[in-house]
């Protein structure tokens, strides 16, 4: 199992994802600002992973400041900096705020071990969430499955087994998954660079394809299931995910291939009735015009570069969450899963 | 209009496509082996373009050898080398053989102008063929069309306006085409590198998208027609073309977008009853693992890299040829077009 985040007794080791797949190297962090730099330079990426790294960063900084006369003031400044390392990563601000509320006002000697404890707890909660999702998802797979996936939804984006890739891993562990096809996932190539590398580490047979090849694999009956992650899921099951996901869902329907979405409950946004309410983020055209430093299109050409697309719930066979599996019509199943949570007394994450 | 092949009075200028879109530079050729090198290094690409370049190469070499005592022997050696510059490009061997049959045995003074004449004829035939196709195709477009295309089927691959891109150009000239979306076309990015550049030169509005984005454009009703080229067309209309074409055809059907194939009659292979008889060429995995010199996947990862896929005729709205438009069921229309040719007394090209 890949460990993108390794908490040590006196430090935090972060897998530097910028160097993958060419090189496996860890950043050794002992201060908060080292963790901030790792987050800001995308050495560590994926919302859950960033939240966890930030929590350990706060612990490291408190540890380093222990004994300082102005401990509280300096730690609060560091806390703010960590919290705001990436403004769009809601998990990070959420994790830091939640932790800070519980330690505010403590003395250093009490606070340092408590911060470590809470970071460890966040880490293991995420791990357990992914394990539950993997288990629910694997139960949907048939023996000998050849699974196609898109983008990176594995250990590198979370901790533990991952979301969609967690289902693949658990399916492989149970002897159900025979082979994985990884869409390279243009423009940022998370599938080719990260998913392929992760699966190789776990010795799960993986074949990389360009995004344009998935259809011909399906036509040749070489894909038994498609499993992807999600960025946001509406109350009716409409799902925003990495650009290219909707294309796969349409192709899956045409070729009668089951199409699964795997995502934690925190991805569900019951305030959104349907996919038309999800704003589509347009990203930098240079992500398409260049691959790393190579120019692959005229430098001034117009580019359409949405970060994600929306797949209607009607094209999704099932949505796999850490609390169970939802099926069409999703409005009913999703409301039920959200209610289960409320009755369990757990706050919405 | 881009001119990838510029015949001069005493030389041949070839646009060096390896440098596109970063740099526009021409190779100045005065000998046969310079043309061979341009063909072998992919400075000039596209089957029709290679055939024409080879024909001019033969003329250049005859011109340079004029006056030599062993003119015939040396030219025949050069002819063989040009003919075999790229063994898979049938157009090249076909063009050289056809020309050679007509000049064999001539003295240098008679042969040199005749070779030039025949190269010019090949050039203008191809140009006229593309013009006819463009005209038949443009008649299918409605005003305000936003057209999506795949790979490069333009002037760079042929001469004149191109095949699918010729239809786009003519549609734009007639005021029918408002906007073009160019699939980048992984792995070799002919759409981003070449099609986008060609359209920019002609000041036709073009937007580059990754192959995975076409579906979301169709879902947003931003595509009115898809036009692609073809590598081989079977008697029943099943069409082999650049990988990703089949994916577009399925997506077009789902979104009710017309899907057109534009290709000269020489692309039709009546010996093949259907697409199952077309062999699928697997190309070098490094085309997917690397983009130019950048490594984008683990260097030893398995890759599925078919050069093309097969689109069943049933998903094609119409096939546009230089002799007219064929429609479903294709067997009948294609047989009719082939017969038209035979009756016209023209040999099959």
């Amino acid at each position: 199992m890949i460990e993108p985040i390794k908490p040590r007794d006196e430090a935090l080791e972060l897998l530097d994802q910028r160097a993958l797949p060419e090189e496996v190297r860890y950043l050794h962090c002992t201060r908060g600002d080292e963790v901030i730099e790792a987050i800001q330079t995308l050495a560590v990426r994926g919302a859950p992973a960033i939240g966890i790294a930030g929590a350990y960063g706060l612990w490291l900084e408190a540890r380093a400041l222990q004994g300082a006369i102005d401990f509280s003031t300096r730690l609060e400044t560091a806390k703010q900096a960590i919290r705001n390392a990436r403004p769009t990563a809601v998990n990070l601000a959420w994790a830091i705020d939640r932790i800070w509320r519980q330690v505010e006002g403590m003395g250093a000697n009490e606070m340092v071990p408590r911060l470590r404890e809470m970071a460890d707890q966040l880490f293991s909660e995420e791990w357990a969430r992914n394990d539950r999702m993997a288990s629910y998802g694997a139960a949907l797979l048939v023996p000998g499955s050849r699974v196609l996936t898109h983008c990176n939804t594995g250990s590198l984006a979370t901790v533990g087994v991952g979301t969609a890739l967690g289902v693949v891993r658990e399916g492989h562990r149970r002897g159900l998954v025979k082979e994985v096809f990884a869409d390279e996932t243009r423009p940022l190539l998370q599938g080719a660079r990260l998913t392929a590398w992760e699966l190789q580490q776990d010795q799960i047979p993986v074949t990389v394809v360009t995004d344009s090849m998935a259809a011909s694999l399906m036509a040749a009956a070489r894909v038994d299931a498609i499993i992807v992650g999600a960025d946001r899921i509406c109350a009716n099951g409409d799902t925003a995910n990495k650009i290219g996901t909707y294309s796969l869902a349409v192709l899956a329907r045409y070729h009668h291939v089951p199409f699964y979405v795997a995502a934690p409950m925190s991805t569900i946004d019951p305030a959104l009735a349907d996919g038309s309410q999800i704003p589509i983020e347009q990203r930098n055209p240079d992500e398409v015009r260049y691959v790393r430093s190579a120019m692959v299109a005229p430098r001034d050409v117009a580019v359409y570069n949405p970060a994600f697309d929306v797949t209607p719930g009607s094209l999704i066979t099932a949505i796999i969450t850490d609390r169970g599996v939802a099926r069409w019509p999703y409005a009913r199943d999703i409301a039920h899963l959200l209610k289960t949570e409320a009755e369990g007394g757990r706050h919405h994450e």
Side-chain angles (χ1 to χ4, degrees), chain A:
Chain A
M1 175 68 71
I2 301 149
E3 296 176 89
I5 298 177
K6 291 189 195 176
R8 302 295 187 206
D9 285 352
E10 309 187 343
L12 179 70
E13 309 272 350
L14 292 175
L15 180 60
D16 187 348
Q17 298 188 29
R18 295 166 301 180
L20 291 176
E22 294 192 75
E23 195 192 335
V24 177
R25 67 170 180 239
Y26 280 84
L27 302 171
H28 182 85
C29 304
T30 57
R31 294 296 296 255
D33 56 5
E34 292 167 347
V35 174
I36 290 173
E37 198 191 329
I39 290 171
Q40 289 179 336
T41 59
L42 307 185
V44 55
R45 52 161 278 286
I50 289 171
I52 293 164
Y56 282 107
L58 187 58
W59 159 68
L60 284 173
E61 192 59 23
R63 204 176 165 280
L65 293 173
Q66 207 168 3
I69 295 172
D70 50 356
F71 172 82
S72 296
T73 322
R74 289 176 66 185
L75 188 63
E76 179 141 16
T77 307
K79 186 266 292 183
Q80 279 303 331
I82 293 169
R83 184 190 185 284
N84 300 326
R86 275 190 77 187
T88 51
V90 288
N91 292 50
L92 176 60
W94 169 84
I96 298 295
D97 287 346
R98 187 175 82 150
I99 289 171
W100 192 252
R101 277 196 301 273
Q102 298 195 37
V103 299
E104 211 174 352
M106 283 182 185
N109 291 347
E110 187 188 5
M111 197 195 286
V112 173
R114 184 76 184 112
L115 283 174
R116 170 65 191 237
E117 204 179 289
M118 295 189 71
D120 286 346
Q121 187 190 333
L122 200 67
F123 187 100
S124 59
E125 275 175 10
E126 184 67 24
W127 195 291
R129 223 182 332 261
N130 287 343
D131 278 349
R132 286 197 299 274
M133 224 179 318
S135 185
Y136 285 126
L140 302 176
L141 298 174
V142 296
S145 285
R146 295 154 304 173
V147 177
L148 185 137
T149 187
H150 195 67
C151 199
N152 176 255
T153 58
S155 307
L156 292 168
T158 62
V159 292
V161 292
T163 59
L165 216 54
V167 174
V168 170
R169 283 196 162 95
E170 181 61 16
H172 184 260
R173 205 180 64 86
R174 296 185 190 178
L176 302 171
V177 170
K178 194 168 87 178
E179 183 179 13
V180 181
F181 290 103
D183 269 359
E184 65 172 6
T185 318
R186 278 284 284 154
L188 294 181
L189 298 160
Q190 294 92 336
R193 292 194 301 111
L194 306 177
T195 299
W197 182 82
E198 276 203 23
L199 291 173
Q200 280 191 319
Q201 303 312 302
D202 282 7
Q203 301 181 311
I204 298 174
V206 58
T207 298
V208 173
V209 293
T210 67
D211 305 321
S212 61
M213 292 169 190
S216 86
L217 285 174
M218 290 184 230
R222 291 178 62 182
V223 178
D224 302 299
I226 297 176
I227 314 178
V228 299
D231 285 283
R232 195 126 48 132
I233 300 175
C234 301
N236 72 341
D238 290 356
T239 294
N241 190 44
K242 182 63 59 196
I243 186 71
T245 301
Y246 168 66
S247 185
L248 288 177
V250 172
L251 294 167
R253 174 58 50 97
Y254 185 83
H255 295 94
H256 309 291
V257 173
F259 183 87
Y260 300 113
V261 169
M265 288 300 293
S266 57
T267 310
I268 297 175
D269 187 344
L272 298 183
D274 63 55
S276 68
Q277 302 183 293
I278 305 177
I280 304 280
E281 176 195 355
Q282 285 288 330
R283 293 182 57 84
N284 191 331
D286 282 347
E287 289 181 355
V288 174
R289 293 186 194 124
Y290 294 82
V291 176
R292 297 202 161 179
S293 62
M295 191 174 108
V296 297
R299 68 169 58 79
D300 56 348
V301 76
V303 166
Y304 172 64
N305 185 20
F308 50 80
D309 54 28
V310 176
T311 300
S314 58
L315 290 177
I316 301 169
T317 309
I319 298 176
I320 302 155
T321 77
D322 50 308
R323 213 168 284 137
V325 173
R327 288 192 182 266
W328 178 262
Y330 290 101
R332 191 194 54 196
D333 275 17
I334 285 175
H336 176 73
L337 288 175
L338 288 167
K339 195 153 162 275
T340 308
E341 167 189 47
E343 282 170 358
R346 297 180 56 204
H347 60 276
H348 186 253
E349 290 166 9

